[in-house]
Amino acid sequence: MTADAKRRNATLIGLTAVVMWSTLGLFGAASGDVPPFLLNGLCFGVSGLAATLWLAARGRLHMLRQPVGVLAFGTLGLFGFHFFYFTAIRNAPPVDANLINYTWPLLIVLFSALLPGEKLRLHHVAGTLVGLAGAALLVVGDQGLELDPAHLPGYLAAVASALFWSSYSVLSRRLGKVPTEAVAAFCLATSALSFAAHAMVEETVWPADAGEWGAVLALAAFPVGLAFFVWDRGVKQGDIQVLGAGAYAAPVLSTLLLIAFGFGDFSMRVALACLLVTLGAFIAAKDMVFRSPPKGEVAPTPGKT
């Protein structure tokens, strides 16, 4: 497999995280009244434990043994993002906080210019901005933005959440030699910190029935589980600019899922948001979609190595 093919495959694998994150709204709604930090602790605990058992069964448990700095980096990335996001929506209007938080894909694209071997081009920025416009149209809707100075702590927390996740995603590229399996340790540590935060600021409300527990397990399996493993593979080996632009598909897909399951109605606004996000991703992925072999390189003949 050529280097371009490996990069393309890693990018596609990373983009499956965006699809999984789009189920957060649906499964989150189905999980009942479980408070955010408790839900975070449960989900990361289940996903981290499942991944650890999987590694143990295959004799790969040693991959969890990483330098303290690596473990701290991964834990701060996962927990820091969720901590500041939850703080933001508690201290500012959710629409405002969500829109500020959703600058993280744009920040990933911009920060990627600092990585060795990466070149930030105009179409990367243009595609990401078009995607941001689609996400903004969807997130803000008819409610508008308040941006009341009284909610400044919430706005700052939303900025912090965006910075935490974009920095974690970009800096993960610098830790390319750290195996993706180490994410299991990040999940377990994030679970422990989430339970601690829950004990300090939340009232305990457990899932009420089997359906709500099923939603918690679905969250742990995909958007708060496998998604972080495939995202790690994508940002380390794939096209990080395409991943950043493609991330704007998450709020659109999430809205479409909620509509499909009866939690909303389709509208021209949703249709336009879908169009803008798709167009933005396509613009940002221009190099990957239309890339041709380097001059003088001959495509391999089928059946020959």
PDB file of all heavy atoms in Angstrom, residues 250-265:
ATOM      1  N   ALA A 250     -20.823  16.407  12.172  1.00  0.00           N
ATOM      2  CA  ALA A 250     -21.408  15.833  13.390  1.00  0.00           C
ATOM      3  C   ALA A 250     -22.718  16.498  13.809  1.00  0.00           C
ATOM      4  O   ALA A 250     -23.718  15.804  14.033  1.00  0.00           O
ATOM      5  CB  ALA A 250     -20.393  15.865  14.530  1.00  0.00           C
ATOM      6  N   PRO A 251     -22.793  17.846  13.940  1.00  0.00           N
ATOM      7  CA  PRO A 251     -24.075  18.434  14.354  1.00  0.00           C
ATOM      8  C   PRO A 251     -25.178  18.230  13.325  1.00  0.00           C
ATOM      9  O   PRO A 251     -26.350  18.107  13.684  1.00  0.00           O
ATOM     10  CB  PRO A 251     -23.745  19.927  14.532  1.00  0.00           C
ATOM     11  CG  PRO A 251     -22.506  20.150  13.748  1.00  0.00           C
ATOM     12  CD  PRO A 251     -21.734  18.865  13.827  1.00  0.00           C
ATOM     13  N   VAL A 252     -24.801  18.190  12.035  1.00  0.00           N
ATOM     14  CA  VAL A 252     -25.808  17.973  10.993  1.00  0.00           C
ATOM     15  C   VAL A 252     -26.356  16.558  11.062  1.00  0.00           C
ATOM     16  O   VAL A 252     -27.578  16.340  11.065  1.00  0.00           O
ATOM     17  CB  VAL A 252     -25.214  18.259   9.600  1.00  0.00           C
ATOM     18  CG1 VAL A 252     -26.215  17.901   8.510  1.00  0.00           C
ATOM     19  CG2 VAL A 252     -24.816  19.720   9.481  1.00  0.00           C
ATOM     20  N   LEU A 253     -25.448  15.577  11.127  1.00  0.00           N
ATOM     21  CA  LEU A 253     -25.891  14.184  11.209  1.00  0.00           C
ATOM     22  C   LEU A 253     -26.693  13.943  12.486  1.00  0.00           C
ATOM     23  O   LEU A 253     -27.666  13.195  12.487  1.00  0.00           O
ATOM     24  CB  LEU A 253     -24.680  13.248  11.160  1.00  0.00           C
ATOM     25  CG  LEU A 253     -23.922  13.194   9.835  1.00  0.00           C
ATOM     26  CD1 LEU A 253     -22.658  12.335   9.981  1.00  0.00           C
ATOM     27  CD2 LEU A 253     -24.813  12.622   8.731  1.00  0.00           C
ATOM     28  N   SER A 254     -26.270  14.583  13.574  1.00  0.00           N
ATOM     29  CA  SER A 254     -26.990  14.443  14.834  1.00  0.00           C
ATOM     30  C   SER A 254     -28.420  14.946  14.705  1.00  0.00           C
ATOM     31  O   SER A 254     -29.378  14.302  15.163  1.00  0.00           O
ATOM     32  CB  SER A 254     -26.259  15.214  15.939  1.00  0.00           C
ATOM     33  OG  SER A 254     -26.951  15.119  17.163  1.00  0.00           O
ATOM     34  N   THR A 255     -28.577  16.108  14.065  1.00  0.00           N
ATOM     35  CA  THR A 255     -29.914  16.669  13.856  1.00  0.00           C
ATOM     36  C   THR A 255     -30.769  15.755  12.991  1.00  0.00           C
ATOM     37  O   THR A 255     -31.951  15.525  13.282  1.00  0.00           O
ATOM     38  CB  THR A 255     -29.808  18.063  13.196  1.00  0.00           C
ATOM     39  OG1 THR A 255     -29.046  18.924  14.063  1.00  0.00           O
ATOM     40  CG2 THR A 255     -31.183  18.663  12.973  1.00  0.00           C
ATOM     41  N   LEU A 256     -30.178  15.209  11.927  1.00  0.00           N
ATOM     42  CA  LEU A 256     -30.919  14.315  11.040  1.00  0.00           C
ATOM     43  C   LEU A 256     -31.367  13.047  11.773  1.00  0.00           C
ATOM     44  O   LEU A 256     -32.479  12.550  11.566  1.00  0.00           O
ATOM     45  CB  LEU A 256     -30.067  13.950   9.827  1.00  0.00           C
ATOM     46  CG  LEU A 256     -29.772  15.095   8.844  1.00  0.00           C
ATOM     47  CD1 LEU A 256     -28.829  14.624   7.746  1.00  0.00           C
ATOM     48  CD2 LEU A 256     -31.064  15.640   8.242  1.00  0.00           C
ATOM     49  N   LEU A 257     -30.506  12.532  12.655  1.00  0.00           N
ATOM     50  CA  LEU A 257     -30.880  11.352  13.441  1.00  0.00           C
ATOM     51  C   LEU A 257     -32.036  11.667  14.386  1.00  0.00           C
ATOM     52  O   LEU A 257     -32.977  10.869  14.523  1.00  0.00           O
ATOM     53  CB  LEU A 257     -29.673  10.854  14.244  1.00  0.00           C
ATOM     54  CG  LEU A 257     -28.691   9.927  13.532  1.00  0.00           C
ATOM     55  CD1 LEU A 257     -27.487   9.662  14.427  1.00  0.00           C
ATOM     56  CD2 LEU A 257     -29.360   8.613  13.151  1.00  0.00           C
ATOM     57  N   LEU A 258     -31.959  12.815  15.049  1.00  0.00           N
ATOM     58  CA  LEU A 258     -33.031  13.199  15.972  1.00  0.00           C
ATOM     59  C   LEU A 258     -34.351  13.373  15.216  1.00  0.00           C
ATOM     60  O   LEU A 258     -35.412  12.980  15.709  1.00  0.00           O
ATOM     61  CB  LEU A 258     -32.656  14.494  16.695  1.00  0.00           C
ATOM     62  CG  LEU A 258     -31.535  14.364  17.737  1.00  0.00           C
ATOM     63  CD1 LEU A 258     -31.061  15.737  18.190  1.00  0.00           C
ATOM     64  CD2 LEU A 258     -31.992  13.541  18.933  1.00  0.00           C
ATOM     65  N   ILE A 259     -34.270  13.940  14.010  1.00  0.00           N
ATOM     66  CA  ILE A 259     -35.473  14.089  13.192  1.00  0.00           C
ATOM     67  C   ILE A 259     -36.025  12.722  12.794  1.00  0.00           C
ATOM     68  O   ILE A 259     -37.232  12.470  12.863  1.00  0.00           O
ATOM     69  CB  ILE A 259     -35.160  14.938  11.936  1.00  0.00           C
ATOM     70  CG1 ILE A 259     -34.900  16.395  12.338  1.00  0.00           C
ATOM     71  CG2 ILE A 259     -36.311  14.866  10.928  1.00  0.00           C
ATOM     72  CD1 ILE A 259     -34.383  17.253  11.200  1.00  0.00           C
ATOM     73  N   ALA A 260     -35.124  11.821  12.388  1.00  0.00           N
ATOM     74  CA  ALA A 260     -35.542  10.485  11.956  1.00  0.00           C
ATOM     75  C   ALA A 260     -36.249   9.723  13.069  1.00  0.00           C
ATOM     76  O   ALA A 260     -37.147   8.909  12.809  1.00  0.00           O
ATOM     77  CB  ALA A 260     -34.332   9.698  11.463  1.00  0.00           C
ATOM     78  N   PHE A 261     -35.855   9.989  14.320  1.00  0.00           N
ATOM     79  CA  PHE A 261     -36.460   9.281  15.446  1.00  0.00           C
ATOM     80  C   PHE A 261     -37.550  10.108  16.133  1.00  0.00           C
ATOM     81  O   PHE A 261     -37.937   9.829  17.266  1.00  0.00           O
ATOM     82  CB  PHE A 261     -35.387   8.870  16.458  1.00  0.00           C
ATOM     83  CG  PHE A 261     -34.600   7.658  16.029  1.00  0.00           C
ATOM     84  CD1 PHE A 261     -33.498   7.791  15.200  1.00  0.00           C
ATOM     85  CD2 PHE A 261     -34.986   6.387  16.419  1.00  0.00           C
ATOM     86  CE1 PHE A 261     -32.772   6.678  14.782  1.00  0.00           C
ATOM     87  CE2 PHE A 261     -34.274   5.278  16.018  1.00  0.00           C
ATOM     88  CZ  PHE A 261     -33.165   5.418  15.191  1.00  0.00           C
ATOM     89  N   GLY A 262     -38.036  11.128  15.446  1.00  0.00           N
ATOM     90  CA  GLY A 262     -39.189  11.866  15.936  1.00  0.00           C
ATOM     91  C   GLY A 262     -38.923  12.953  16.931  1.00  0.00           C
ATOM     92  O   GLY A 262     -39.846  13.442  17.592  1.00  0.00           O
ATOM     93  N   PHE A 263     -37.643  13.396  17.065  1.00  0.00           N
ATOM     94  CA  PHE A 263     -37.328  14.452  18.030  1.00  0.00           C
ATOM     95  C   PHE A 263     -37.256  15.830  17.377  1.00  0.00           C
ATOM     96  O   PHE A 263     -36.802  16.791  17.993  1.00  0.00           O
ATOM     97  CB  PHE A 263     -35.996  14.153  18.731  1.00  0.00           C
ATOM     98  CG  PHE A 263     -36.063  12.985  19.678  1.00  0.00           C
ATOM     99  CD1 PHE A 263     -35.668  11.727  19.271  1.00  0.00           C
ATOM    100  CD2 PHE A 263     -36.537  13.142  20.972  1.00  0.00           C
ATOM    101  CE1 PHE A 263     -35.714  10.639  20.136  1.00  0.00           C
ATOM    102  CE2 PHE A 263     -36.588  12.066  21.848  1.00  0.00           C
ATOM    103  CZ  PHE A 263     -36.182  10.811  21.427  1.00  0.00           C
ATOM    104  N   GLY A 264     -37.668  15.944  16.114  1.00  0.00           N
ATOM    105  CA  GLY A 264     -37.615  17.223  15.431  1.00  0.00           C
ATOM    106  C   GLY A 264     -38.205  17.121  14.040  1.00  0.00           C
ATOM    107  O   GLY A 264     -38.650  16.050  13.618  1.00  0.00           O
ATOM    108  N   ASP A 265     -38.224  18.244  13.322  1.00  0.00           N
ATOM    109  CA  ASP A 265     -38.803  18.295  11.979  1.00  0.00           C
ATOM    110  C   ASP A 265     -37.761  18.771  10.972  1.00  0.00           C
ATOM    111  O   ASP A 265     -36.921  19.626  11.285  1.00  0.00           O
ATOM    112  CB  ASP A 265     -40.004  19.247  11.953  1.00  0.00           C
ATOM    113  CG  ASP A 265     -41.109  18.799  12.904  1.00  0.00           C
ATOM    114  OD1 ASP A 265     -41.459  17.606  12.862  1.00  0.00           O
ATOM    115  OD2 ASP A 265     -41.587  19.648  13.688  1.00  0.00           O
TER     116      ASP A 265
END
